[in-house]
Amino acid sequence: MTFVRRSIGQQHLLGAIGLASVAVVGLDIVASRGATTTASSRGTWARRWGRHAGRGALVTAILALAFSPAPGQAARNGAIPSVGAGTGYPTGHGPYSVAAFADAVTKRPDLVTANNAANSVSVLRGKADGSFQAPATYRVGKSPTDATVFADAATGRPDLAVTNNAVGTVSVLRGRADGTFQAPATYAVGAGPRFVAAFKDAATGRPDLAVANEVDDTVSVLRGVADGSFRASETYPAGSMPVCVAVFTDRATGRLDLAIADFGRDTINVLRGKADSSFQAPATYVAGAGPNSLVAFADATTSRVDLAVANSAANSVSVLRGKADGTFQPQVTYTVAQEPSSVAAFKDAATGRPNLAIANVGANSVSVLRGKADGTFQPQVAYTVDQGPESVTAFKDAATNRPDLVVALPVGDTVSVLRGATNGTFHG
Protein backbone atom coordinates (compact mmCIF):
# COMPACT_ATOMS: atom_id res chain seq x y z
CA MET A 1 0.00 0.00 0.00
CA THR A 2 1.13 3.53 -0.02
CA PHE A 3 0.43 5.61 2.99
CA VAL A 4 3.20 6.58 5.41
CA ARG A 5 5.06 8.40 8.21
CA ARG A 6 7.94 9.93 9.88
CA SER A 7 9.62 12.82 11.80
CA ILE A 8 13.20 13.74 12.58
CA GLY A 9 16.06 15.91 13.40
CA GLN A 10 17.18 15.08 16.93
CA GLN A 11 19.56 15.00 19.86
CA HIS A 12 18.60 17.26 22.75
CA LEU A 13 15.76 14.92 23.61
CA LEU A 14 17.55 11.92 22.19
CA GLY A 15 20.21 12.30 24.82
CA ALA A 16 17.67 13.01 27.53
CA ILE A 17 15.78 9.76 27.02
CA GLY A 18 18.70 7.64 25.90
CA LEU A 19 16.85 6.86 22.70
CA ALA A 20 20.01 5.39 21.21
CA SER A 21 18.63 6.28 17.82
CA VAL A 22 21.08 7.28 15.13
CA ALA A 23 18.24 8.23 12.83
CA VAL A 24 19.32 11.84 12.48
CA VAL A 25 23.02 12.20 12.36
CA GLY A 26 24.28 15.25 14.21
CA LEU A 27 21.00 17.12 14.62
CA ASP A 28 19.47 17.86 17.98
CA ILE A 29 15.78 18.73 18.02
CA VAL A 30 13.50 15.72 17.85
CA ALA A 31 13.18 12.80 20.21
CA SER A 32 11.97 10.34 17.64
CA ARG A 33 10.02 10.18 14.44
CA GLY A 34 6.38 9.49 13.81
CA ALA A 35 4.79 8.03 10.70
CA THR A 36 1.82 8.82 8.55
CA THR A 37 -0.55 6.17 7.33
CA THR A 38 -3.13 8.11 5.39
CA ALA A 39 -3.28 9.41 1.89
CA SER A 40 -5.03 12.75 1.60
CA SER A 41 -8.79 12.13 1.43
CA ARG A 42 -8.76 8.32 1.31
CA GLY A 43 -9.65 7.98 4.98
CA THR A 44 -9.85 5.05 7.37
CA TRP A 45 -12.01 2.86 5.12
CA ALA A 46 -9.33 2.93 2.44
CA ARG A 47 -6.60 1.87 4.84
CA ARG A 48 -8.63 -1.05 6.14
CA TRP A 49 -9.70 -2.03 2.61
CA GLY A 50 -6.09 -1.92 1.50
CA ARG A 51 -5.12 -4.23 4.37
CA HIS A 52 -7.17 -7.08 2.85
CA ALA A 53 -7.09 -6.18 -0.82
CA GLY A 54 -3.32 -6.37 -1.17
CA ARG A 55 -0.75 -3.94 -2.43
CA GLY A 56 -0.91 -4.39 -6.17
CA ALA A 57 -0.92 -2.44 -9.41
CA LEU A 58 -4.43 -1.12 -8.82
CA VAL A 59 -3.37 0.78 -5.70
CA THR A 60 -0.26 2.08 -7.43
CA ALA A 61 -2.33 3.29 -10.38
CA ILE A 62 -4.83 5.01 -8.10
CA LEU A 63 -2.03 6.79 -6.25
CA ALA A 64 -0.31 7.82 -9.47
CA LEU A 65 -3.57 9.36 -10.64
CA ALA A 66 -4.26 11.02 -7.30
CA PHE A 67 -0.86 12.70 -7.20
CA SER A 68 -0.42 13.62 -10.84
CA PRO A 69 0.64 17.28 -11.14
CA ALA A 70 -2.04 19.72 -12.23
CA PRO A 71 -1.78 21.23 -15.73
CA GLY A 72 0.43 24.29 -15.73
CA GLN A 73 2.11 23.35 -12.45
CA ALA A 74 5.12 25.60 -11.73
CA ALA A 75 8.58 24.39 -12.67
CA ARG A 76 10.34 22.82 -9.71
CA ASN A 77 13.82 24.29 -9.68
CA GLY A 78 14.02 25.98 -6.27
CA ALA A 79 11.80 27.40 -3.52
CA ILE A 80 8.17 27.86 -4.60
CA PRO A 81 5.30 29.75 -2.99
CA SER A 82 3.16 27.90 -0.45
CA VAL A 83 -0.60 28.43 -0.30
CA GLY A 84 -0.53 28.19 3.45
CA ALA A 85 2.15 28.93 6.01
CA GLY A 86 5.67 27.83 5.23
CA THR A 87 8.03 27.89 2.27
CA GLY A 88 7.66 25.13 -0.31
CA TYR A 89 10.45 23.13 -1.95
CA PRO A 90 10.02 20.60 -4.77
CA THR A 91 10.56 16.87 -4.28
CA GLY A 92 9.91 13.75 -6.30
CA HIS A 93 6.40 12.49 -7.09
CA GLY A 94 4.25 11.73 -4.02
CA PRO A 95 6.48 12.43 -0.99
CA TYR A 96 4.97 10.44 1.86
CA SER A 97 7.57 10.93 4.55
CA VAL A 98 10.26 13.44 5.40
CA ALA A 99 13.31 13.19 7.65
CA ALA A 100 16.14 15.58 8.50
CA PHE A 101 19.83 14.90 9.10
CA ALA A 102 23.21 16.62 9.26
CA ASP A 103 25.02 16.88 5.92
CA ALA A 104 28.25 14.87 5.75
CA VAL A 105 30.20 17.89 4.49
CA THR A 106 28.55 21.06 5.79
CA LYS A 107 26.85 19.65 8.92
CA ARG A 108 23.80 21.75 8.02
CA PRO A 109 20.37 20.10 8.11
CA ASP A 110 19.44 18.24 4.93
CA LEU A 111 16.02 16.77 4.13
CA VAL A 112 15.12 13.41 2.61
CA THR A 113 11.68 12.39 1.31
CA ALA A 114 10.38 8.96 0.33
CA ASN A 115 8.55 9.51 -2.96
CA ASN A 116 5.88 6.85 -3.08
CA ALA A 117 4.65 7.48 -6.61
CA ALA A 118 8.15 7.78 -8.12
CA ASN A 119 9.99 4.86 -6.48
CA SER A 120 12.67 7.28 -5.37
CA VAL A 121 14.01 9.43 -2.56
CA SER A 122 14.81 13.12 -2.84
CA VAL A 123 17.64 14.72 -0.86
CA LEU A 124 17.48 18.50 -0.36
CA ARG A 125 20.79 19.82 0.94
CA GLY A 126 20.66 22.72 3.36
CA LYS A 127 22.06 26.20 2.75
CA ALA A 128 23.71 28.50 5.29
CA ASP A 129 20.67 30.81 5.32
CA GLY A 130 18.37 27.98 6.43
CA SER A 131 16.83 27.37 3.01
CA PHE A 132 17.36 24.27 0.80
CA GLN A 133 18.82 23.44 -2.60
CA ALA A 134 16.95 21.74 -5.43
CA PRO A 135 16.54 17.99 -4.83
CA ALA A 136 18.90 15.23 -5.88
CA THR A 137 17.01 12.03 -6.75
CA TYR A 138 17.99 8.42 -6.01
CA ARG A 139 16.09 5.35 -7.19
CA VAL A 140 14.89 2.79 -4.61
CA GLY A 141 12.37 -0.07 -4.61
CA LYS A 142 8.66 -0.08 -5.40
CA SER A 143 6.30 2.17 -3.43
CA PRO A 144 8.66 3.63 -0.81
CA THR A 145 6.77 4.78 2.26
CA ASP A 146 9.42 5.90 4.72
CA ALA A 147 13.05 6.96 4.96
CA THR A 148 15.33 7.37 7.94
CA VAL A 149 18.97 8.33 8.37
CA PHE A 150 21.73 6.81 10.51
CA ALA A 151 25.49 6.86 10.94
CA ASP A 152 27.30 4.22 8.88
CA ALA A 153 29.06 1.66 11.10
CA ALA A 154 32.22 1.78 8.99
CA THR A 155 32.48 5.41 7.83
CA GLY A 156 30.35 7.39 10.29
CA ARG A 157 28.69 9.17 7.36
CA PRO A 158 24.92 9.47 7.10
CA ASP A 159 23.26 6.53 5.34
CA LEU A 160 19.62 6.26 4.22
CA ALA A 161 17.23 3.36 4.90
CA VAL A 162 14.00 3.24 2.90
CA THR A 163 10.98 0.92 3.19
CA ASN A 164 9.74 -0.46 -0.15
CA ASN A 165 6.14 -1.26 0.74
CA ALA A 166 5.09 -3.15 -2.39
CA VAL A 167 8.02 -5.59 -2.49
CA GLY A 168 8.86 -6.35 1.16
CA THR A 169 12.34 -4.87 1.20
CA VAL A 170 14.44 -2.11 2.69
CA SER A 171 16.90 -0.16 0.54
CA VAL A 172 20.08 1.13 2.20
CA LEU A 173 21.93 3.94 0.42
CA ARG A 174 25.37 4.46 1.91
CA GLY A 175 26.70 7.99 2.16
CA ARG A 176 29.75 9.27 0.31
CA ALA A 177 32.33 11.72 1.61
CA ASP A 178 30.93 14.47 -0.65
CA GLY A 179 27.46 14.21 0.87
CA THR A 180 25.88 12.25 -1.97
CA PHE A 181 24.71 8.62 -1.78
CA GLN A 182 25.60 5.32 -3.44
CA ALA A 183 23.21 3.01 -5.28
CA PRO A 184 21.02 1.05 -2.86
CA ALA A 185 21.68 -2.35 -1.33
CA THR A 186 18.46 -4.30 -0.73
CA TYR A 187 17.47 -6.37 2.31
CA ALA A 188 14.39 -8.57 2.68
CA VAL A 189 11.98 -7.84 5.54
CA GLY A 190 8.35 -8.73 6.22
CA ALA A 191 5.34 -8.13 3.99
CA GLY A 192 4.24 -4.53 3.59
CA PRO A 193 7.07 -2.64 5.33
CA ARG A 194 5.59 0.73 6.28
CA PHE A 195 8.07 2.43 8.61
CA VAL A 196 11.74 2.11 9.54
CA ALA A 197 13.60 3.32 12.63
CA ALA A 198 17.36 3.24 13.20
CA PHE A 199 18.97 2.69 16.59
CA LYS A 200 22.29 1.83 18.20
CA ASP A 201 22.65 -1.85 19.09
CA ALA A 202 23.08 -2.26 22.85
CA ALA A 203 25.71 -4.98 22.44
CA THR A 204 27.74 -3.85 19.42
CA GLY A 205 27.16 -0.10 19.28
CA ARG A 206 26.45 -0.43 15.56
CA PRO A 207 23.30 0.89 13.90
CA ASP A 208 20.42 -1.57 13.64
CA LEU A 209 17.11 -1.13 11.82
CA ALA A 210 13.57 -1.88 13.04
CA VAL A 211 10.84 -2.15 10.40
CA ALA A 212 7.06 -2.22 10.97
CA ASN A 213 5.45 -4.65 8.48
CA GLU A 214 1.75 -3.88 8.15
CA VAL A 215 0.71 -6.91 6.05
CA ASP A 216 2.17 -9.83 8.01
CA ASP A 217 1.77 -8.14 11.43
CA THR A 218 5.45 -8.26 12.38
CA VAL A 219 8.43 -6.08 13.11
CA SER A 220 11.74 -6.95 11.45
CA VAL A 221 15.06 -6.17 13.13
CA LEU A 222 18.19 -6.01 10.96
CA ARG A 223 21.45 -6.10 12.93
CA GLY A 224 24.31 -3.99 11.67
CA VAL A 225 27.67 -5.44 10.66
CA ALA A 226 31.05 -3.75 11.18
CA ASP A 227 31.47 -3.18 7.43
CA GLY A 228 28.26 -1.12 7.28
CA SER A 229 26.01 -3.85 5.87
CA PHE A 230 23.19 -5.69 7.68
CA ARG A 231 22.42 -9.28 8.61
CA ALA A 232 19.24 -11.11 7.59
CA SER A 233 16.25 -9.85 9.54
CA GLU A 234 14.89 -11.21 12.81
CA THR A 235 11.09 -11.28 13.10
CA TYR A 236 8.84 -10.50 16.09
CA PRO A 237 5.02 -10.49 16.31
CA ALA A 238 3.68 -6.93 16.47
CA GLY A 239 -0.13 -7.02 16.70
CA SER A 240 -2.53 -6.30 13.85
CA MET A 241 -1.39 -3.92 11.11
CA PRO A 242 1.69 -2.37 12.74
CA VAL A 243 2.36 0.89 10.93
CA CYS A 244 5.01 2.70 12.97
CA VAL A 245 7.85 1.81 15.35
CA ALA A 246 9.94 3.84 17.81
CA VAL A 247 13.04 2.68 19.69
CA PHE A 248 14.03 3.97 23.12
CA THR A 249 16.06 3.08 26.20
CA ASP A 250 14.13 1.38 28.99
CA ARG A 251 14.56 3.42 32.18
CA ALA A 252 14.35 0.35 34.41
CA THR A 253 16.70 -2.00 32.55
CA GLY A 254 18.84 0.25 30.36
CA ARG A 255 18.01 -1.98 27.40
CA LEU A 256 16.42 -0.94 24.14
CA ASP A 257 12.63 -1.33 23.80
CA LEU A 258 10.34 -1.09 20.77
CA ALA A 259 7.00 0.73 20.73
CA ILE A 260 4.67 -0.09 17.84
CA ALA A 261 1.46 1.61 16.64
CA ASP A 262 -1.07 -1.23 16.19
CA PHE A 263 -3.54 0.29 13.74
CA GLY A 264 -5.74 -2.80 13.52
CA ARG A 265 -6.51 -2.98 17.26
CA ASP A 266 -6.24 0.67 18.34
CA THR A 267 -3.37 -0.12 20.70
CA ILE A 268 0.32 0.44 21.30
CA ASN A 269 2.51 -2.64 21.68
CA VAL A 270 5.75 -2.34 23.65
CA LEU A 271 8.39 -5.05 23.18
CA ARG A 272 10.88 -4.74 26.01
CA GLY A 273 14.48 -5.63 25.33
CA LYS A 274 16.24 -8.68 26.71
CA ALA A 275 19.83 -8.94 27.90
CA ASP A 276 20.80 -10.66 24.63
CA SER A 277 19.39 -7.71 22.60
CA SER A 278 16.35 -9.66 21.44
CA PHE A 279 12.83 -8.63 22.45
CA GLN A 280 10.06 -9.95 24.70
CA ALA A 281 6.47 -10.59 23.69
CA PRO A 282 4.50 -7.33 23.42
CA ALA A 283 2.73 -5.61 26.31
CA THR A 284 -0.39 -3.82 25.09
CA TYR A 285 -1.67 -0.31 25.93
CA VAL A 286 -4.93 1.24 24.78
CA ALA A 287 -4.67 4.16 22.35
CA GLY A 288 -7.29 6.13 20.43
CA ALA A 289 -9.02 5.03 17.25
CA GLY A 290 -6.69 4.52 14.29
CA PRO A 291 -3.23 4.96 15.84
CA ASN A 292 -0.97 5.53 12.85
CA SER A 293 2.11 7.35 14.14
CA LEU A 294 4.04 7.48 17.40
CA VAL A 295 7.07 9.13 18.92
CA ALA A 296 9.11 8.62 22.10
CA PHE A 297 10.37 11.63 24.05
CA ALA A 298 11.63 12.71 27.47
CA ASP A 299 9.01 13.77 30.01
CA ALA A 300 9.39 17.41 31.10
CA THR A 301 9.06 16.50 34.79
CA THR A 302 10.49 13.02 35.26
CA SER A 303 12.82 12.68 32.23
CA ARG A 304 11.35 9.20 31.77
CA VAL A 305 10.32 8.05 28.31
CA ASP A 306 6.80 9.08 27.28
CA LEU A 307 4.96 8.04 24.12
CA ALA A 308 2.77 10.24 21.93
CA VAL A 309 0.43 8.62 19.42
CA ALA A 310 -1.54 10.23 16.56
CA ASN A 311 -5.06 8.74 16.39
CA SER A 312 -6.27 9.27 12.83
CA ALA A 313 -9.89 8.22 13.37
CA ALA A 314 -10.31 10.09 16.69
CA ASN A 315 -8.77 13.45 15.74
CA SER A 316 -6.60 13.24 18.83
CA VAL A 317 -3.15 12.56 20.21
CA SER A 318 -2.66 10.14 23.10
CA VAL A 319 0.19 10.67 25.54
CA LEU A 320 1.28 7.70 27.66
CA ARG A 321 3.63 8.84 30.41
CA GLY A 322 6.40 6.50 31.48
CA LYS A 323 6.70 4.91 34.91
CA ALA A 324 9.90 4.19 36.84
CA ASP A 325 9.51 0.46 36.18
CA GLY A 326 9.58 0.92 32.40
CA THR A 327 5.84 0.52 31.87
CA PHE A 328 3.40 3.28 30.91
CA GLN A 329 0.40 4.99 32.46
CA PRO A 330 -3.00 4.98 30.71
CA GLN A 331 -3.36 7.45 27.86
CA VAL A 332 -4.29 11.10 28.25
CA THR A 333 -5.81 12.50 25.06
CA TYR A 334 -5.49 15.93 23.44
CA THR A 335 -7.70 17.18 20.63
CA VAL A 336 -6.07 18.07 17.32
CA ALA A 337 -7.49 18.70 13.84
CA GLN A 338 -9.05 16.28 11.38
CA GLU A 339 -7.26 12.99 10.65
CA PRO A 340 -3.84 13.40 12.25
CA SER A 341 -1.33 11.47 10.17
CA SER A 342 2.06 12.03 11.83
CA VAL A 343 3.50 13.16 15.16
CA ALA A 344 6.95 14.48 16.08
CA ALA A 345 8.48 15.74 19.34
CA PHE A 346 10.92 18.62 19.66
CA LYS A 347 12.34 21.05 22.21
CA ASP A 348 10.51 24.38 22.56
CA ALA A 349 12.66 27.35 21.48
CA ALA A 350 11.49 29.45 24.44
CA THR A 351 11.02 26.98 27.31
CA GLY A 352 13.19 23.99 26.40
CA ARG A 353 10.28 21.66 27.19
CA PRO A 354 9.14 18.93 24.81
CA ASN A 355 6.49 20.03 22.32
CA LEU A 356 4.47 17.92 19.89
CA ALA A 357 3.86 18.67 16.21
CA ILE A 358 1.08 16.85 14.37
CA ALA A 359 0.37 16.79 10.63
CA ASN A 360 -3.41 16.77 10.05
CA VAL A 361 -4.01 15.35 6.60
CA GLY A 362 -7.77 15.98 6.71
CA ALA A 363 -7.44 19.62 7.78
CA ASN A 364 -4.41 20.77 5.77
CA SER A 365 -2.73 21.94 8.94
CA VAL A 366 -0.02 21.30 11.50
CA SER A 367 -0.99 21.35 15.19
CA VAL A 368 1.63 22.31 17.79
CA LEU A 369 1.00 21.34 21.41
CA ARG A 370 3.44 23.18 23.64
CA GLY A 371 4.64 21.39 26.74
CA LYS A 372 3.89 22.57 30.28
CA ALA A 373 6.22 22.35 33.28
CA ASP A 374 4.11 19.54 34.76
CA GLY A 375 4.60 17.30 31.72
CA THR A 376 1.16 17.91 30.20
CA PHE A 377 0.45 19.94 27.06
CA GLN A 378 -1.38 23.12 26.15
CA PRO A 379 -4.26 23.13 23.63
CA GLN A 380 -3.20 23.01 20.00
CA VAL A 381 -2.11 25.99 17.93
CA ALA A 382 -2.79 25.26 14.25
CA TYR A 383 -0.71 26.38 11.25
CA THR A 384 -2.19 26.11 7.77
CA VAL A 385 -0.18 24.26 5.13
CA ASP A 386 -0.90 23.08 1.60
CA GLN A 387 -3.15 20.16 0.77
CA GLY A 388 -2.71 16.72 2.30
CA PRO A 389 0.16 16.93 4.84
CA GLU A 390 1.27 13.35 5.43
CA SER A 391 4.40 13.61 7.54
CA VAL A 392 6.03 16.14 9.85
CA THR A 393 9.42 16.38 11.49
CA ALA A 394 11.49 18.99 13.32
CA PHE A 395 15.12 20.05 12.90
CA LYS A 396 17.50 22.81 13.96
CA ASP A 397 17.59 25.78 11.58
CA ALA A 398 21.05 26.29 10.02
CA ALA A 399 20.86 30.06 10.45
CA THR A 400 18.98 30.56 13.74
CA ASN A 401 19.54 27.27 15.64
CA ARG A 402 15.84 27.32 16.49
CA PRO A 403 13.55 24.35 15.79
CA ASP A 404 11.88 24.42 12.38
CA LEU A 405 9.12 22.12 11.14
CA VAL A 406 8.95 20.46 7.74
CA VAL A 407 5.86 18.79 6.27
CA ALA A 408 5.64 16.33 3.35
CA LEU A 409 2.87 17.23 0.87
CA PRO A 410 2.34 14.40 -1.65
CA VAL A 411 -0.50 16.13 -3.47
CA GLY A 412 1.78 18.97 -4.56
CA ASP A 413 5.07 17.03 -4.74
CA THR A 414 6.63 19.40 -2.21
CA VAL A 415 7.77 19.83 1.34
CA SER A 416 6.84 22.95 3.30
CA VAL A 417 9.17 24.44 5.92
CA LEU A 418 7.82 26.47 8.87
CA ARG A 419 10.66 28.36 10.51
CA GLY A 420 10.74 28.74 14.26
CA ALA A 421 10.62 32.05 16.15
CA THR A 422 12.30 32.88 19.45
CA ASN A 423 8.93 32.77 21.24
CA GLY A 424 8.30 29.18 20.19
CA THR A 425 5.86 29.92 17.36
CA PHE A 426 6.37 29.29 13.63
CA HIS A 427 6.17 31.27 10.40
CA GLY A 428 6.74 30.86 6.69
Side-chain angles (χ1 to χ4, degrees):
M1 189 65 128
T2 45
F3 327 117
V4 185
R5 140 187 111 342
R6 173 156 79 149
S7 88
I8 311 210
Q10 49 250 72
Q11 227 71 302
H12 282 163
L13 289 179
L14 275 182
I17 65 175
L19 190 59
S21 173
V22 284
V24 183
V25 183
L27 297 183
D28 65 352
I29 294 295
V30 178
S32 179
R33 304 178 308 131
T36 76
T37 58
T38 61
S40 195
S41 60
R42 288 195 299 275
T44 301
W45 71 269
R47 290 190 298 277
R48 295 191 183 279
W49 171 84
R51 161 78 168 155
H52 300 289
R55 308 291 193 275
L58 175 61
V59 172
T60 301
I62 290 171
L63 287 169
L65 178 62
F67 300 118
S68 295
Q73 190 171 22
R76 303 192 180 283
N77 57 0
I80 59 177
S82 173
V83 173
T87 300
Y89 297 90
T91 66
H93 199 23
Y96 264 75
S97 77
V98 60
F101 63 99
D103 189 281
V105 178
T106 68
K107 308 307 177 186
R108 299 173 193 144
D110 295 348
L111 304 177
V112 58
T113 63
N115 305 316
N116 185 267
N119 301 331
S120 70
V121 293
S122 295
V123 176
L124 290 73
R125 299 182 75 172
K127 300 180 181 180
D129 65 0
S131 63
F132 293 89
Q133 300 177 30
T137 300
Y138 301 87
R139 299 290 294 179
V140 292
K142 189 174 181 181
S143 299
T145 52
D146 190 43
T148 194
V149 191
F150 61 94
D152 189 290
T155 68
R157 300 172 193 144
D159 293 350
L160 306 178
V162 184
T163 52
N164 303 309
N165 188 268
V167 291
T169 62
V170 168
S171 295
V172 175
L173 291 74
R174 299 183 70 177
R176 297 186 175 121
D178 64 358
T180 62
F181 293 90
Q182 300 177 30
T186 301
Y187 298 88
V189 291
R194 172 66 65 83
F195 185 91
V196 57
F199 62 99
K200 184 179 291 186
D201 191 286
T204 67
R206 300 173 193 140
D208 294 345
L209 302 176
V211 181
N213 304 307
E214 63 177 347
V215 175
D216 66 6
D217 301 333
T218 63
V219 61
S220 298
V221 176
L222 290 78
R223 305 288 183 182
V225 180
D227 64 1
S229 63
F230 291 89
R231 297 192 182 99
S233 62
E234 306 164 6
T235 302
Y236 299 89
S240 175
M241 199 174 180
V243 292
C244 185
V245 58
V247 188
F248 58 93
T249 300
D250 192 298
R251 280 304 189 191
T253 66
R255 301 169 189 151
L256 295 178
D257 295 349
L258 305 179
I260 298 162
D262 186 343
F263 187 87
R265 295 175 182 167
D266 298 336
T267 60
I268 301 302
N269 295 320
V270 176
L271 287 67
R272 300 185 73 174
K274 298 180 180 179
D276 63 359
S277 295
S278 65
F279 296 93
Q280 301 177 30
T284 299
Y285 298 87
V286 174
N292 62 358
S293 173
L294 62 80
V295 65
F297 62 97
D299 189 283
T301 304
T302 66
S303 294
R304 298 174 191 147
V305 178
D306 295 348
L307 301 176
V309 186
N311 303 309
S312 61
N315 301 335
S316 70
V317 169
S318 297
V319 175
L320 290 74
R321 299 183 72 174
K323 299 180 182 179
D325 64 0
T327 62
F328 292 89
Q329 299 177 30
Q331 64 175 330
V332 175
T333 58
Y334 298 86
T335 299
V336 293
Q338 184 179 358
E339 202 171 356
S341 53
S342 174
V343 59
F346 64 97
K347 183 177 285 190
D348 190 289
T351 68
R353 299 171 193 143
N355 294 348
L356 301 177
I358 300 95
N360 304 301
V361 69
N364 300 330
S365 69
V366 173
S367 297
V368 175
L369 283 68
R370 299 183 71 175
K372 299 180 181 179
D374 64 0
T376 63
F377 292 88
Q378 300 177 29
Q380 64 172 328
V381 175
Y383 297 86
T384 300
V385 294
D386 286 345
Q387 185 177 359
E390 286 290 343
S391 173
V392 63
T393 191
F395 62 94
K396 180 179 283 190
D397 190 291
T400 68
N401 283 330
R402 296 190 286 261
D404 294 348
L405 301 177
V406 59
V407 185
L409 302 163
V411 175
D413 296 341
T414 61
V415 292
S416 185
V417 176
L418 287 75
R419 300 185 75 171
T422 54
N423 64 358
T425 62
F426 294 89
H427 57 85

